[in-house]
Amino acid sequence: MKKKIKFFIGMVLVFTFVPYSFAQESWEKARIQMVEEQIVAYGISDPLVLEALRTVPRHEFVPEEMKELAYADTPLPIGYGQTISQPFIVALMTEKAKVKPQDKVLEVGTGSGYQAAVLSAMGCTVYTVEIIQKLVLLAEATLKRLGYQHITVKWGDGYFGWQEASPFDAIIVTCSVDHIPPPLIEQLKEGGTMVIPVGPPWSIQSLWVIEKTLQGLQVEDLGAVRFVPLTREIREK
Ligand code: SAH
């Protein structure tokens, strides 16, 4: 009798964990292929960025019905009218922000929490602000479940940055602005870098890389992008 119970438990474990680990393996394959075909092939070379994109399980940051598309070369809806950026754009912004392990980074627009997880995987301490409370709660839950550390998520208007946690080595803004929010410039360290899409809402914007130097701001324009706009309306859902 006891043997039968043990056998039964053994079978349950096998049928639960074998498909699980197969699934994990195929997600990993998809991720490695994504990095080769969509990221390395288009010129991203920072080994830390590439490694983070190979490890962060993007499929865990999208709604159930979007999982199969998680490693495709496209942004995806995450609910509440918002999107998770295309993997290449995440890689580009992270590389251009020149983040290094131990850096303190501000993200404006937490969304799914994916960009924050990439920064955490690179060894950064991340402060991330999101204006929709439901997304804050979801992102916090995802990041906690996956064990990401050194990420603090705040519900609020990221236009004002995060004064108490400043100054930052880098700032990544993942929603578009029609002007650079002055608090973000103030909260950037001398020598720090901000990556931010600038242009009209719901249209084409330019991705700017802004370096704060002793001589003032230096701007590099990386070209056309399309982001959801930075809004000023604090929402619960
Ligand atoms: N970085 C995210 C994608 C963000 S999409 C990810 O990795 O999934 C842009 C996000 O900016 C949306 O979630 C939107 O709600 C948020 N947002 C818009 N205006 C904002 C503001 N003023 N402050 C903070 N977040 C804002």
Side-chain angles (χ1 to χ4, degrees):
M1 185 61 189
K2 266 193 178 160
K3 258 192 183 165
K4 270 191 179 163
I5 292 176
K6 271 191 189 161
F7 178 75
F8 176 73
I9 294 175
M11 282 299 122
V12 169
L13 289 176
V14 165
F15 281 108
T16 314
F17 288 108
V18 169
Y20 174 78
S21 70
F22 269 128
Q24 293 308 312
E25 222 174 88
S26 75
W27 288 128
E28 194 185 352
K29 264 195 189 156
R31 214 156 41 232
I32 285 167
Q33 192 177 351
M34 168 192 88
V35 171
E36 288 314 309
E37 293 175 2
Q38 302 169 33
I39 314 287
V40 175
Y42 288 87
I44 306 293
S45 61
D46 181 334
L48 272 179
V49 175
L50 298 177
E51 194 48 30
L53 268 94
R54 284 190 193 106
T55 57
V56 179
R58 189 172 152 93
H59 63 281
E60 300 283 0
F61 291 85
V62 300
E64 197 57 42
E65 64 278 16
M66 290 292 153
K67 278 204 156 105
E68 292 300 323
L69 289 173
Y71 298 103
D73 189 13
T74 176
L76 292 171
I78 53 170
Y80 313 96
Q82 308 305 322
T83 53
I84 177 173
S85 307
Q86 181 188 3
F88 173 74
I89 291 291
V90 175
L92 178 68
M93 291 178 92
T94 313
E95 182 173 75
K96 291 293 178 179
K98 299 193 193 80
V99 292
K100 312 174 294 302
Q102 321 300 331
D103 274 359
K104 187 162 52 158
V105 184
L106 172 70
E107 179 193 22
V108 176
T110 313
S112 67
Y114 177 71
Q115 170 78 71
V118 166
L119 292 165
S120 159
M122 293 174 69
C124 302
T125 298
V126 188
Y127 292 84
T128 177
V129 191
E130 169 57 54
I131 205 160
I132 301 176
Q133 188 188 32
K134 271 276 163 66
L135 285 174
V136 170
L137 300 173
L138 256 171
E140 271 178 338
T142 309
L143 293 165
K144 187 169 173 209
R145 176 165 56 81
L146 299 173
Y148 286 99
Q149 298 196 327
H150 311 296
I151 302 178
T152 320
V153 189
K154 179 165 89 170
W155 178 32
D157 182 355
Y159 183 94
F160 299 108
W162 197 319
Q163 176 69 46
E164 310 84 285
S166 69
F168 300 100
D169 297 290
I171 299 180
I172 295 182
V173 182
T174 65
C175 39
S176 73
V177 293
D178 57 11
H179 66 275
I180 310 292
L184 298 187
I185 297 287
E186 262 161 48
Q187 293 171 25
L188 189 60
K189 267 187 198 164
E190 204 80 61
T193 308
M194 169 154 60
V195 183
I196 184 166
V198 185
W202 305 116
S203 180
I204 306 285
Q205 301 101 25
S206 297
L207 191 58
W208 284 12
V209 181
I210 302 176
E211 311 266 353
K212 185 170 171 181
T213 72
L214 275 176
Q215 291 74 44
L217 302 179
Q218 283 176 2
V219 179
E220 182 193 359
D221 184 347
L222 297 180
V225 285
R226 192 189 278 267
F227 278 80
V228 293
L230 178 137
T231 64
R232 310 301 310 280
E233 181 201 349
I234 299 186
R235 285 165 49 185
E236 285 185 4
K237 25 185 139 153

